[in-house]
Amino acid sequence: MPRFYFHLRDGDTFQEDTDGVELPDVDSARSEAIIAAREILAEQISFGLQAGDQTFEVTDEEGFMFFRLAFRDLLHS
């Protein structure tokens, strides 16, 4: 099963995911990214914070980027 890494970018800050998670395919990785991003957004909103420019950059072990998920896009979906 492939391992996917969910790196978090917030403006100029980059948080590397060094653990990753094994998932069956890219569609599963996208679903996991959406769930995690919504949880982060919900926590920010509960503290009265505004959504920033956070983005998940989802890659494989070699650093190939499958997709980016901008958190702001989830606020309107």
Side-chain angles (χ1 to χ4, degrees):
M1 195 171 314
R3 184 170 292 273
F4 294 88
Y5 295 84
F6 297 80
H7 308 299
L8 181 61
R9 187 173 297 279
D10 188 357
D12 293 333
T13 304
F14 181 77
Q15 235 179 321
E16 183 179 10
D17 175 6
T18 57
D19 297 326
V21 63
E22 288 186 354
L23 295 166
D25 53 35
V26 175
D27 289 334
S28 298
R30 188 177 308 280
S31 294
E32 287 295 316
I34 290 170
I35 290 167
R38 285 182 174 157
E39 288 174 357
I40 292 169
L41 285 170
E43 185 174 332
Q44 290 173 335
I45 291 167
S46 73
F47 287 112
L49 303 173
Q50 292 183 349
D53 292 328
Q54 295 158 313
T55 303
F56 274 134
E57 297 178 355
V58 180
T59 68
D60 65 8
E61 302 94 4
E62 306 298 321
F64 174 81
M65 188 179 311
F66 292 105
F67 63 90
R68 286 186 176 102
L69 177 70
F71 289 22
R72 284 182 187 258
D73 293 345
L74 298 175
L75 295 173
H76 305 288
S77 62

